Amino acid sequence: MSTFGRIFRVSTYGESHCKSVGCIVDGCPPGLNLTEDDIQPQLSRRRPGQSSISTPRNEKDKVQIQSGTENGVTLGTPIGMLVLNEDHRPKDYSETDLYPRPSHADWTYMQKYGVKASSGGGRSSARETIGRVAAGAIAEKVLKKANNVEIVAFVSSIGEIEMDRNPRSDKFQEILQTVTKESVDSVGPVRCPDPTVRDEMVKLIEKYRDSKDSIGGVVTCVVRNCPIGLGEPCFDKLEANLAHAMLSLPATKGFEFGSGFLGTKIPGSKHNDPFIFDEQNKRLRTRTNNSGGVQGGISNGENIYFSVAFKSAATISQAQETATYDGNDGVLAARGRHDPSVTPRAVPIVEAMAALVIVDNLLLQKAREYGASIVN
Amino acid sequence: MSTFGRIFRVSTYGESHCKSVGCIVDGCPPGLNLTEDDIQPQLSRRRPGQSSISTPRNEKDKVQIQSGTENGVTLGTPIGMLVLNEDHRPKDYSETDLYPRPSHADWTYMQKYGVKASSGGGRSSARETIGRVAAGAIAEKVLKKANNVEIVAFVSSIGEIEMDRNPRSDKFQEILQTVTKESVDSVGPVRCPDPTVRDEMVKLIEKYRDSKDSIGGVVTCVVRNCPIGLGEPCFDKLEANLAHAMLSLPATKGFEFGSGFLGTKIPGSKHNDPFIFDEQNKRLRTRTNNSGGVQGGISNGENIYFSVAFKSAATISQAQETATYDGNDGVLAARGRHDPSVTPRAVPIVEAMAALVIVDNLLLQKAREYGASIVN
Amino acid sequence: MSTFGRIFRVSTYGESHCKSVGCIVDGCPPGLNLTEDDIQPQLSRRRPGQSSISTPRNEKDKVQIQSGTENGVTLGTPIGMLVLNEDHRPKDYSETDLYPRPSHADWTYMQKYGVKASSGGGRSSARETIGRVAAGAIAEKVLKKANNVEIVAFVSSIGEIEMDRNPRSDKFQEILQTVTKESVDSVGPVRCPDPTVRDEMVKLIEKYRDSKDSIGGVVTCVVRNCPIGLGEPCFDKLEANLAHAMLSLPATKGFEFGSGFLGTKIPGSKHNDPFIFDEQNKRLRTRTNNSGGVQGGISNGENIYFSVAFKSAATISQAQETATYDGNDGVLAARGRHDPSVTPRAVPIVEAMAALVIVDNLLLQKAREYGASIVN
Amino acid sequence: MSTFGRIFRVSTYGESHCKSVGCIVDGCPPGLNLTEDDIQPQLSRRRPGQSSISTPRNEKDKVQIQSGTENGVTLGTPIGMLVLNEDHRPKDYSETDLYPRPSHADWTYMQKYGVKASSGGGRSSARETIGRVAAGAIAEKVLKKANNVEIVAFVSSIGEIEMDRNPRSDKFQEILQTVTKESVDSVGPVRCPDPTVRDEMVKLIEKYRDSKDSIGGVVTCVVRNCPIGLGEPCFDKLEANLAHAMLSLPATKGFEFGSGFLGTKIPGSKHNDPFIFDEQNKRLRTRTNNSGGVQGGISNGENIYFSVAFKSAATISQAQETATYDGNDGVLAARGRHDPSVTPRAVPIVEAMAALVIVDNLLLQKAREYGASIVN
């Protein structure tokens, strides 16, 4: 399905080589100041062509609001948005028609639909994420207003070069507490806030660029100031919604939150987050945060943090031995120059999906809280 | 929300200390032979009290079909099922009333709902999964009929003791190809098919049992013979649905499929799965399966495999320093004996959720295929 | 699908001759005092066998809450409820096996599912509505707490005997303003608040009972004190939700709200409801209420009222010429005694569905209002 | 919510005075020949300004497909479509700013959202239906391919001038069987296929035009060749989906299908549709069709027919006494010329919503049928 969310919902359309890509955001609160200027920055952060370590295609990606605002203020009605497809250069892909690209969506799309887009990977194209990022920018603005919610993602590993993501590391928790979009962007295109590994990451990407190969990485995201009580028990635990959102992104292979896979190795007596009294807010909080800000599927007011694995990009600038659609062995020649690591560009996309999950759960929880308030 | 799925849907109810737990399965095909005997085995596999390394509580968990079948055949109407709550022993928990249990759902539930179940963790209790397992057993039976789909989960790590899950390991791929529910159960309660690590796993669990602590682990699941074409591009990629399903389970911290987090470290040229012609089935398939049976969000006919991280259980048999609901520091005394590792019991639950995702996507895809068939 | 609602949701199960019928109510606010005593009255009003003009089958229909409450207070978790099937007497139907009953669901179920319940009409049985009524009783209690919302349905026509439902009739508007469940029940089983037609209705039903025939009727329902702002523009206008709910009831043939079909004949200049200032509430209201309490899909604070057409019951106590499943002409013999007019029994069912629609829209609107409150 | 449907889904955006209105159609089968030429005719039928009895505003309403097709063939991906807003003339409405228009959505929108579009009625504008009609045109094309399904709507009453809609009238059933879009349009702008009342309808509309007033009417719609088995028991009966769809249209006040409200007056012995054997199709069918093609919520293969009441338009060309937003009594002056009867223009909109309901249920049923086929 091409719709995500329950109360704050986004529906997207578009693939690589059609007239435009876009989305409808349904359920955005009325009265919000909103113009294209609120949305463009995240789209620009998503755009390729920003440095020597990313692909030089210059997609302009100017968003146009079609509906749902008047005089720069939202009406409460659906917000239609679109971005024209300009620099698609379909010929670059045209000789690949004989071959389904390995580990790309070409063959499964062909099997599922029985038709094939002339080039590009249909909806599995990264361009599909434009609608998500546009919607996410609105969600982030709402969340900022709601509770000063801050959502920041960053690169935490490229290939074997990894930041320490141990939840019990003070340094890691400090980064989660202080990192900003600005600080992430200020350190260059690799978007890693940890100076001890950043240069190695850049070198590794350059190495794969030079060898016409690609390398994956991990994006970690933190949500600060998330209100307490978001998430529904059972099938719609907050982490389940986040996992759904993140694994719906192209090229993702995994998701973990809080202590994650490492949490399987820390015994319960050390993994449990004891409660302490928070004098400032006059409420309980936890001394440690192995839980990643969610307990029993419900946010507890601590930083929510999670990580998303992005595989090494399937589209590489070297020839590959593989079979044609017809079943003949052959060599798929390389075409064009491709981004050796899409992971840094995924940063705003991860933020967008996180924002969509949080805002939808926030609005839902407010319906719940109202219900509780009137029956008591 | 307490409903999961779009065409084959399950809604669950029940917590630890109410009259019964159960579910409604909506959208099960008519004409299926179905009695309690089809469902009970998976419920029994889920049940605690099966060995010295799990908790001795004897929950009988006999399922009763309420509706939707006649003379042992499904009618196509909703299948109501329930399991009575018998051996709940609420007193075991009663003195914990002053303390929210660390890393459990007590405090977040209190915050979300403003009320507290007298004991147990409300819907975050493991008993909630009974409805899922009952529904999943039906889904598995449908899938078996549909395409001989086989779903098998097993323990792949306990704490630091890990099976090799490298997707490029022949041994791992061999296990994925051959493991069965029977072989998993036959090796004892730890449910790990790899003899080289199994004994160490048992010893590790015993060590944590003896130290009144707990330890987590990873459950890996394989879906064999999954039809090609399942999963929707964009927000409902097959892996997104699976991730959602798995992270909706209690105590989960992470999800990865195919190469997973390791896939971020394997360069594209090696990670890509080249196509070859499959003479037997007269169609393409991939030579390797780093993709985990899904490309672009759509199943490609290879084994679908994924892993789920279960944290070390929050409920432990030792005292813990923590604060009361009122904010006073204190010590939460240990009560009762608790399962040192819930991971092996999660095996049938993971299978159930996988089955629910696959059958729902299968039915949806058949609607899609019909649509394609009539417009051409 | 067997689930209704978005935030306050009900899923039902059960048919005539299975173990039990029931439902899961998901999204009920926590902290609500709730026991079976809150639910039973509406179930008893729905029950047949209450007078000489309805069928004498004595279904006891005692509801049992399974989950979601503790010590008589809701937990916020799903409320499972069931009613055992006791007096089903399947043999009464058994000789009808050769014939699909005319204008009943037997044949279409057979075509849709390929299987046939041994007797009764599967899910199209009136027993399916038990789950709805149980859920609706909870919804009504929440609405009463929320804004003193009152929902009352009554019989407004039986066959040709009709109350004046002209929206411009003072008497009709007066009845809408003052009618109560108690007053409706107090006037005998026909449940019509208008004394000028009530006796004729009873006589008409008796006439059809004596001729072993059946006759339909109209149920009108009013929702008083509905908060302003409920309903979503476009596809989920409040009246669209109500129409969906009402036409999902067995035996319904039509729905109209406010001026209804008559509203097509009143010119705009007279049909429009002018605004006046309401000194008491310090806000606008409308002088007339041809709109039926909804404008542009959104409640305006006036009485919401609508009518539902129930056809003459398909199950009659006389023989009918028709064909067998095999296509042979024949005569379907009458079996048993059947209710000559199900319309009066539909009264609590209509109330239940109305309550489910209103409470779901209320909770949704509170999420919307919160959103608006924080961005301004 | 601004999304309709489960498998074939449409989401719409846009109001009267924004850049464009449009929609995303999600779930359209791949491989369908589709260009703007398939969609434009229904949009043109919807357009105002086609005759002396409708408003002279000339909205051009040229649809532009944005995505989801390539070389005139659908890809299976979402189809984005938009229509630019050209001739909106906002000044015509500007002096109405002080007054909420009676029986329009101005006041309830203001109450719901707290903001007001500068003019027009926000999403309750008839322009919102453009997206529905565009989506419906695609749905109709799919249905034509699927089973030669034909959907034709027509005007059956204007004010007091009514066609005989008695389900037992041979003439009415004959019209249902033979009426086409072409025949409906060929008789002039009033779109009534019955010559005995058509001229009176035109005269009546002219009368209300001349008196600067408006008059309502009824649109009846027939779906021929609908496959058997569509519709889900319980909450999603086919008629419930249709009622939801129709009551979601602006200005609607009622819905009835088959015998409708009249069906409450025909005794069961005469209302029941006896089965007969259909030699041609070698299956049962019904001798009469009071059921309107649906029994127990499921299509039975007979003509599906239903009627929708459209109130007299709220926007009239004469002054009205009413109150300002501030609560002061006054006179809302007339502005512009307005359509005295919107009913004829509703014809393609009713067809569109019917098509969306039927195609969605068709695809869903095919998923159900597949399920049944594999378990047997």
Side-chain angles (χ1 to χ4, degrees):
Chain A
M1 312 291 189
S2 295
T3 300
F4 187 80
R6 294 157 299 189
I7 296 187
F8 189 107
R9 295 152 66 96
V10 59
S11 301
T12 66
Y13 74 86
E15 41 267 326
S16 293
H17 298 89
C18 60
K19 278 196 190 167
S20 67
V21 297
C23 67
I24 299 173
V25 176
D26 194 19
C28 179
L32 179 72
N33 291 320
L34 186 79
T35 68
E36 281 86 348
D37 291 345
D38 293 298
I39 298 158
Q40 196 61 49
Q42 284 291 82
L43 285 177
S44 298
R45 292 182 82 209
R46 192 210 72 90
R47 220 177 37 180
Q50 299 173 51
S51 85
S52 68
I53 62 171
S54 69
T55 173
R57 291 192 300 168
N58 183 13
E59 301 172 278
K60 293 200 190 74
D61 294 352
K62 290 291 175 200
V63 67
Q64 304 173 25
I65 294 176
Q66 298 296 301
S67 68
T69 67
E70 206 169 74
N71 302 320
V73 178
T74 59
L75 295 170
T77 58
I79 302 169
M81 295 187 281
L82 66 80
V83 169
L84 295 175
N85 276 336
E86 293 180 358
D87 178 23
H88 38 68
R89 297 198 299 179
K91 289 200 185 65
D92 258 31
Y93 292 87
S94 60
E95 287 184 22
T96 66
D97 278 3
L98 295 174
Y99 291 91
R101 288 168 296 168
S103 291
H104 213 289
D106 300 346
W107 190 72
T108 49
Y109 264 62
M110 186 68 174
Q111 292 292 313
K112 184 177 185 74
Y113 293 122
V115 294
K116 186 161 63 88
S118 72
S119 58
R123 286 283 280 172
S124 71
S125 153
R127 272 195 86 71
E128 179 274 327
T129 61
I130 284 176
R132 305 183 187 220
V133 171
I138 300 175
E140 278 200 76
K141 186 156 189 184
V142 173
L143 288 168
K144 191 83 182 175
K145 291 265 187 181
N147 203 44
N148 196 29
V149 177
E150 298 172 333
I151 299 178
V152 185
F154 53 87
V155 171
S156 60
S157 83
I158 295 289
E160 302 274 359
I161 312 299
E162 303 181 78
M163 270 177 59
D164 181 5
R165 296 206 313 267
N166 190 319
R168 307 174 78 200
S169 147
D170 288 343
K171 180 180 160 192
F172 180 57
Q173 293 294 339
E174 169 78 12
I175 288 174
L176 293 177
Q177 187 58 36
T178 57
V179 70
T180 63
K181 283 182 171 62
E182 293 69 31
S183 71
V184 164
D185 284 355
S186 70
V187 298
V190 79
R191 287 178 169 153
C192 175
D194 183 352
T196 65
V197 293
R198 195 187 301 142
D199 291 349
E200 288 177 85
M201 287 179 174
V202 174
K203 278 181 201 150
L204 192 69
I205 294 175
E206 289 171 344
K207 181 187 121 184
Y208 282 104
R209 181 196 60 198
D210 295 345
S211 60
K212 303 186 175 177
D213 209 339
S214 67
I215 191 67
V218 172
V219 171
T220 295
C221 182
V222 62
V223 181
R224 292 191 293 258
N225 302 330
C226 180
I228 298 170
L230 308 199
E232 301 277 305
C234 200
F235 296 116
D236 286 302
K237 291 185 169 72
L238 192 60
E239 63 267 40
N241 282 190
L242 286 167
H244 187 144
M246 299 305 151
L247 268 296
S248 80
L249 292 172
T252 50
K253 301 301 289 182
F255 169 87
E256 59 181 5
F257 81 104
S259 60
F261 278 86
L262 190 62
T264 67
K265 301 177 182 176
I266 305 171
S269 59
K270 293 198 171 66
H271 189 275
N272 281 355
D273 296 316
F275 287 101
I276 53 175
F277 189 72
D278 175 359
E279 292 290 347
Q280 190 182 341
N281 294 303
K282 302 296 174 200
R283 62 165 174 84
L284 293 188
R285 57 174 301 184
T286 63
R287 187 152 51 78
T288 52
N289 185 14
N290 296 309
S291 297
V294 182
Q295 285 173 334
I298 299 164
S299 63
N300 68 358
E302 304 299 321
N303 289 339
I304 295 171
Y305 61 96
F306 57 87
S307 294
V308 187
F310 288 85
K311 70 173 182 178
S312 303
T315 308
I316 53 180
S317 305
Q318 59 180 271
Q320 298 178 77
E321 292 189 14
T322 186
T324 63
Y325 281 104
D326 294 336
N328 298 312
D329 292 344
V331 175
L332 171 60
R335 281 291 175 278
R337 288 171 55 191
H338 299 286
D339 205 335
S341 179
V342 296
T343 310
R345 283 180 58 202
V347 160
I349 308 174
V350 166
E351 290 168 347
M353 293 308 296
L356 290 170
V357 167
I358 301 294
V359 80
D360 188 46
N361 276 281
L362 174 63
L363 295 180
L364 183 57
Q365 173 59 8
K366 291 301 167 176
R368 305 275 184 232
E369 287 177 11
Y370 165 79
S373 75
I374 49 102
V375 298
N376 283 294
Chain B
M1 313 290 189
S2 295
T3 299
F4 188 80
R6 295 158 298 191
I7 297 187
F8 190 108
R9 295 153 66 95
V10 59
S11 301
T12 67
Y13 74 85
E15 41 268 327
S16 292
H17 298 89
C18 60
K19 277 196 192 168
S20 68
V21 297
C23 67
I24 298 174
V25 175
D26 195 18
C28 179
L32 179 72
N33 291 321
L34 186 79
T35 69
E36 281 87 348
D37 291 345
D38 293 298
I39 298 158
Q40 195 61 49
Q42 285 292 81
L43 285 177
S44 298
R45 293 181 81 208
R46 192 211 72 90
R47 220 177 37 178
Q50 299 173 52
S51 84
S52 68
I53 63 171
S54 68
T55 172
R57 291 191 300 168
N58 184 14
E59 300 172 280
K60 293 200 188 73
D61 294 353
K62 290 291 174 199
V63 67
Q64 303 173 26
I65 295 176
Q66 297 298 299
S67 69
T69 67
E70 206 170 73
N71 302 319
V73 178
T74 58
L75 295 170
T77 58
I79 302 169
M81 294 188 282
L82 67 81
V83 168
L84 295 175
N85 276 337
E86 293 180 0
D87 179 24
H88 41 68
R89 298 197 298 179
K91 288 197 187 67
D92 259 30
Y93 294 86
S94 60
E95 286 182 23
T96 67
D97 278 4
L98 294 173
Y99 293 90
R101 287 168 295 168
S103 291
H104 213 288
D106 299 346
W107 190 72
T108 49
Y109 263 62
M110 186 68 174
Q111 292 293 312
K112 183 177 185 76
Y113 293 121
V115 294
K116 185 160 64 85
S118 71
S119 57
R123 286 284 279 172
S124 71
S125 155
R127 272 196 86 71
E128 179 273 327
T129 61
I130 285 177
R132 306 182 188 219
V133 171
I138 299 175
E140 278 201 74
K141 187 156 187 183
V142 173
L143 289 168
K144 190 84 184 175
K145 290 267 187 180
N147 203 43
N148 196 29
V149 177
E150 297 172 334
I151 300 178
V152 186
F154 54 87
V155 171
S156 60
S157 82
I158 295 288
E160 302 274 359
I161 314 298
E162 301 181 78
M163 270 178 59
D164 180 6
R165 296 206 312 267
N166 189 319
R168 306 174 79 202
S169 147
D170 289 344
K171 181 178 157 192
F172 180 57
Q173 293 293 340
E174 168 78 12
I175 287 174
L176 293 178
Q177 186 59 36
T178 58
V179 69
T180 63
K181 283 182 172 62
E182 293 69 31
S183 70
V184 164
D185 284 356
S186 70
V187 298
V190 80
R191 287 178 168 152
C192 175
D194 183 351
T196 65
V197 293
R198 195 187 301 142
D199 291 349
E200 288 177 84
M201 287 179 174
V202 173
K203 277 181 205 152
L204 192 69
I205 295 175
E206 287 171 345
K207 180 188 123 184
Y208 283 104
R209 181 195 61 196
D210 294 345
S211 60
K212 302 186 175 176
D213 209 339
S214 67
I215 191 67
V218 173
V219 171
T220 295
C221 182
V222 62
V223 181
R224 293 191 291 258
N225 303 329
C226 181
I228 298 170
L230 309 199
E232 301 278 306
C234 200
F235 297 116
D236 286 302
K237 290 185 169 73
L238 192 59
E239 62 268 39
N241 281 190
L242 286 167
H244 187 144
M246 298 305 150
L247 267 296
S248 80
L249 292 172
T252 50
K253 300 303 288 183
F255 169 87
E256 59 180 6
F257 81 104
S259 59
F261 279 85
L262 190 61
T264 66
K265 302 177 183 176
I266 306 170
S269 59
K270 292 199 170 67
H271 190 274
N272 281 354
D273 297 315
F275 287 101
I276 54 174
F277 189 71
D278 175 358
E279 292 289 349
Q280 190 182 341
N281 294 304
K282 302 296 175 203
R283 62 165 174 85
L284 293 189
R285 58 174 300 184
T286 63
R287 186 151 51 77
T288 51
N289 185 16
N290 295 310
S291 298
V294 182
Q295 285 173 334
I298 299 164
S299 64
N300 68 358
E302 305 299 321
N303 289 340
I304 295 170
Y305 62 97
F306 58 87
S307 294
V308 186
F310 288 85
K311 71 173 181 179
S312 304
T315 308
I316 53 179
S317 306
Q318 59 180 270
Q320 298 178 78
E321 292 189 15
T322 186
T324 63
Y325 281 103
D326 294 336
N328 298 311
D329 292 345
V331 175
L332 171 60
R335 280 291 175 273
R337 290 171 54 192
H338 300 287
D339 205 336
S341 178
V342 297
T343 310
R345 281 181 58 200
V347 160
I349 307 175
V350 166
E351 290 168 347
M353 293 308 297
L356 290 170
V357 167
I358 301 294
V359 78
D360 189 45
N361 276 281
L362 174 63
L363 296 179
L364 183 57
Q365 173 59 8
K366 292 300 165 174
R368 304 275 184 234
E369 288 177 11
Y370 165 80
S373 75
I374 49 102
V375 299
N376 282 296
Chain C
M1 313 289 190
S2 296
T3 299
F4 188 80
R6 295 155 301 190
I7 296 188
F8 189 106
R9 295 153 66 95
V10 58
S11 302
T12 67
Y13 73 86
E15 41 267 326
S16 292
H17 298 89
C18 60
K19 278 196 190 169
S20 68
V21 297
C23 68
I24 299 174
V25 176
D26 195 19
C28 179
L32 179 72
N33 290 321
L34 187 78
T35 70
E36 281 86 349
D37 291 344
D38 293 298
I39 298 158
Q40 195 62 49
Q42 285 292 80
L43 285 176
S44 298
R45 292 181 83 208
R46 191 210 73 89
R47 220 177 37 178
Q50 297 173 53
S51 84
S52 69
I53 62 172
S54 69
T55 172
R57 291 192 299 167
N58 182 14
E59 301 172 278
K60 292 201 191 74
D61 294 353
K62 290 290 174 200
V63 67
Q64 303 173 27
I65 295 176
Q66 298 296 300
S67 69
T69 67
E70 206 170 73
N71 302 319
V73 179
T74 59
L75 295 170
T77 57
I79 301 170
M81 293 187 282
L82 65 81
V83 169
L84 294 176
N85 276 336
E86 291 180 0
D87 178 24
H88 38 67
R89 298 197 299 179
K91 289 198 185 68
D92 258 31
Y93 294 87
S94 60
E95 286 183 23
T96 67
D97 279 4
L98 294 173
Y99 292 90
R101 287 169 295 168
S103 291
H104 213 288
D106 299 346
W107 190 72
T108 49
Y109 264 63
M110 186 69 174
Q111 292 292 312
K112 183 177 184 75
Y113 292 122
V115 295
K116 184 162 65 88
S118 72
S119 57
R123 287 283 278 173
S124 71
S125 155
R127 273 196 86 70
E128 180 274 327
T129 61
I130 286 177
R132 307 183 188 218
V133 171
I138 300 175
E140 277 200 76
K141 186 156 188 183
V142 173
L143 289 169
K144 190 84 183 175
K145 291 265 188 181
N147 204 44
N148 195 30
V149 178
E150 297 171 333
I151 299 178
V152 185
F154 53 87
V155 171
S156 60
S157 83
I158 294 289
E160 302 275 359
I161 313 299
E162 302 181 78
M163 269 177 61
D164 179 6
R165 296 206 314 268
N166 190 318
R168 307 173 78 201
S169 146
D170 288 344
K171 180 179 160 192
F172 180 56
Q173 293 294 339
E174 168 78 12
I175 288 175
L176 293 178
Q177 187 59 35
T178 58
V179 70
T180 64
K181 283 182 172 62
E182 293 68 31
S183 70
V184 164
D185 284 356
S186 69
V187 298
V190 79
R191 287 177 169 154
C192 174
D194 183 352
T196 65
V197 293
R198 195 187 302 143
D199 292 347
E200 288 176 84
M201 287 178 174
V202 173
K203 278 181 204 151
L204 191 70
I205 295 175
E206 287 171 345
K207 180 188 121 184
Y208 282 104
R209 181 196 61 197
D210 295 344
S211 61
K212 301 187 175 178
D213 208 339
S214 66
I215 191 67
V218 172
V219 171
T220 295
C221 183
V222 62
V223 181
R224 292 192 292 259
N225 302 329
C226 182
I228 299 171
L230 309 199
E232 302 277 306
C234 199
F235 296 115
D236 287 300
K237 291 185 168 72
L238 192 60
E239 63 266 42
N241 282 191
L242 285 168
H244 186 144
M246 297 307 149
L247 269 295
S248 80
L249 291 173
T252 50
K253 301 303 288 184
F255 169 88
E256 59 180 5
F257 81 103
S259 60
F261 278 86
L262 190 62
T264 66
K265 302 178 183 176
I266 306 171
S269 59
K270 293 198 171 65
H271 190 274
N272 281 355
D273 297 316
F275 287 100
I276 53 174
F277 189 71
D278 175 358
E279 292 290 347
Q280 191 182 341
N281 294 303
K282 303 295 174 200
R283 61 165 174 84
L284 292 189
R285 58 174 301 183
T286 62
R287 187 153 50 81
T288 51
N289 186 15
N290 296 310
S291 297
V294 182
Q295 285 173 334
I298 299 165
S299 63
N300 68 357
E302 304 300 320
N303 288 339
I304 294 171
Y305 61 96
F306 57 87
S307 295
V308 187
F310 288 85
K311 70 173 183 180
S312 304
T315 308
I316 53 179
S317 305
Q318 59 179 270
Q320 297 178 79
E321 292 189 17
T322 186
T324 63
Y325 282 103
D326 294 336
N328 298 312
D329 292 344
V331 175
L332 171 60
R335 282 290 175 275
R337 288 171 55 192
H338 299 287
D339 205 336
S341 178
V342 297
T343 310
R345 284 180 58 201
V347 161
I349 308 174
V350 165
E351 290 169 347
M353 293 309 296
L356 290 169
V357 167
I358 301 294
V359 79
D360 189 45
N361 276 282
L362 173 63
L363 296 179
L364 184 58
Q365 172 59 7
K366 291 301 165 174
R368 304 275 184 234
E369 288 177 11
Y370 165 80
S373 75
I374 49 102
V375 300
N376 284 294
Chain D
M1 313 287 190
S2 295
T3 299
F4 188 79
R6 295 157 300 189
I7 296 188
F8 189 107
R9 295 152 66 94
V10 58
S11 301
T12 66
Y13 74 85
E15 40 268 325
S16 292
H17 298 88
C18 59
K19 277 197 191 168
S20 68
V21 296
C23 69
I24 299 174
V25 176
D26 194 19
C28 179
L32 178 73
N33 291 321
L34 186 79
T35 69
E36 281 87 347
D37 291 345
D38 293 298
I39 298 158
Q40 195 62 48
Q42 284 292 82
L43 285 177
S44 298
R45 293 182 82 209
R46 191 210 72 90
R47 219 177 37 178
Q50 298 174 52
S51 84
S52 68
I53 63 170
S54 68
T55 172
R57 291 192 300 167
N58 182 14
E59 301 172 277
K60 293 202 189 71
D61 293 353
K62 290 291 174 199
V63 67
Q64 304 174 26
I65 295 175
Q66 298 297 300
S67 69
T69 67
E70 206 171 72
N71 302 320
V73 178
T74 60
L75 295 170
T77 57
I79 302 169
M81 294 188 282
L82 66 81
V83 168
L84 295 175
N85 276 337
E86 293 180 359
D87 178 24
H88 40 68
R89 298 197 297 180
K91 288 198 187 67
D92 257 31
Y93 293 88
S94 60
E95 285 182 25
T96 67
D97 278 4
L98 295 173
Y99 291 91
R101 287 169 295 168
S103 290
H104 213 290
D106 300 347
W107 189 73
T108 49
Y109 264 62
M110 186 67 172
Q111 292 294 312
K112 183 176 184 76
Y113 292 123
V115 294
K116 186 162 64 88
S118 72
S119 57
R123 286 285 277 172
S124 70
S125 154
R127 272 196 86 71
E128 180 274 327
T129 61
I130 285 177
R132 306 183 187 218
V133 171
I138 300 176
E140 276 200 76
K141 186 157 188 183
V142 173
L143 288 168
K144 189 85 184 174
K145 290 267 188 179
N147 203 43
N148 195 29
V149 177
E150 296 172 335
I151 299 177
V152 185
F154 54 87
V155 171
S156 60
S157 84
I158 294 289
E160 302 275 357
I161 314 299
E162 302 181 79
M163 268 178 60
D164 180 6
R165 296 206 313 268
N166 190 319
R168 307 174 78 199
S169 146
D170 287 344
K171 179 179 159 193
F172 180 56
Q173 292 295 339
E174 169 78 13
I175 287 174
L176 293 177
Q177 187 58 36
T178 56
V179 69
T180 64
K181 283 183 172 62
E182 292 70 30
S183 70
V184 164
D185 284 356
S186 69
V187 298
V190 79
R191 286 178 170 153
C192 174
D194 183 352
T196 65
V197 292
R198 195 187 301 142
D199 291 349
E200 288 176 85
M201 287 178 174
V202 173
K203 278 180 203 151
L204 192 69
I205 296 174
E206 288 170 345
K207 179 188 122 185
Y208 282 104
R209 181 196 61 197
D210 295 346
S211 60
K212 303 188 175 176
D213 208 339
S214 66
I215 190 66
V218 172
V219 171
T220 295
C221 182
V222 62
V223 181
R224 292 191 292 258
N225 302 329
C226 181
I228 298 171
L230 308 200
E232 302 276 306
C234 201
F235 297 114
D236 287 301
K237 292 184 169 72
L238 192 59
E239 62 268 40
N241 282 189
L242 285 168
H244 186 143
M246 297 307 149
L247 268 296
S248 80
L249 291 173
T252 50
K253 300 302 288 183
F255 169 88
E256 60 180 3
F257 80 103
S259 59
F261 278 86
L262 189 61
T264 66
K265 302 178 183 174
I266 306 171
S269 59
K270 293 200 170 66
H271 189 274
N272 281 354
D273 297 315
F275 287 101
I276 53 174
F277 189 72
D278 175 359
E279 292 290 347
Q280 190 181 342
N281 294 303
K282 303 295 175 202
R283 62 165 174 84
L284 293 189
R285 58 174 300 184
T286 62
R287 187 150 51 79
T288 51
N289 185 16
N290 295 310
S291 297
V294 181
Q295 285 173 335
I298 299 165
S299 63
N300 68 358
E302 304 300 320
N303 288 341
I304 295 171
Y305 63 96
F306 57 88
S307 294
V308 187
F310 288 85
K311 70 172 182 180
S312 304
T315 308
I316 52 180
S317 305
Q318 59 180 269
Q320 298 179 77
E321 292 188 16
T322 186
T324 63
Y325 281 103
D326 293 337
N328 298 312
D329 292 344
V331 175
L332 171 60
R335 281 289 175 278
R337 287 172 55 192
H338 299 287
D339 204 336
S341 178
V342 297
T343 310
R345 282 180 59 201
V347 160
I349 307 175
V350 166
E351 290 168 348
M353 293 308 296
L356 290 169
V357 167
I358 301 293
V359 79
D360 189 45
N361 276 281
L362 174 64
L363 296 179
L364 184 57
Q365 173 59 7
K366 291 301 167 176
R368 303 276 184 232
E369 288 177 11
Y370 165 79
S373 75
I374 49 101
V375 298
N376 284 295

